[in-house]
Amino acid sequence: LAWTRRQAALFKRQRDLEVERAALARHYEYLTRYANDIIILMDSDWKIVEANERATQAYGYSREELIGMPVANLRTPAERPKLAQTVRDLDLSNGTIVETEHMRRDGTTFPVEISARVIEVEGERYYQGIVRDTSERKRLEAELRASEEMYRLLFRRTPIGVFHYDLNLVITDCN
């Protein structure tokens, strides 16, 4: 009777752990599938083994086309030679952030920021990349630089004297 109770408790604990593991797997799948960023998992040969829905939307490839594709194919031809250095940096540090340019299936390019990390799964080495399209940020930065340059020109070329003061009424700049 004691042995039967012990076995029942062990089976219940094992079932509870399996239910918990399955729930965590579903949460992880949901998290990666519907993330706003591109999430790519690569093997030690830098071939894609997993990609989320955002990756298929951003690059224009189906998930089946992405799986097995060398990740270098996502970079623009000009950026591909830099991948080797990125891999060396990543292997030395186990994590890095890189700005580069990627290319869609149709040949259009877009700037990206990649947060890459080395991960081990069951003794195998994988590389995880979380890729963020920075097109909008780059556009806003360019607009801000243009606006600042226009302000500088107006400030310098205004025909009347203009002074900038700090809180202590010390002149910090003038035209």
Side-chain angles (χ1 to χ4, degrees), residues 12-29:
K12 181 184 181 311
R13 185 166 186 265
Q14 184 177 7
R15 184 181 48 102
D16 291 346
L17 288 173
E18 287 175 10
V19 167
E20 184 180 332
R21 187 177 306 125
L24 284 173
R26 283 192 308 276
H27 291 296
Y28 177 76
E29 181 182 348

Side-chain angles (χ1 to χ4, degrees), residues 163-174:
F163 298 88
H164 281 184
Y165 297 93
D166 65 13
L167 293 176
N168 296 321
L169 298 177
V170 175
I171 297 173
T172 58
D173 198 7
C174 65

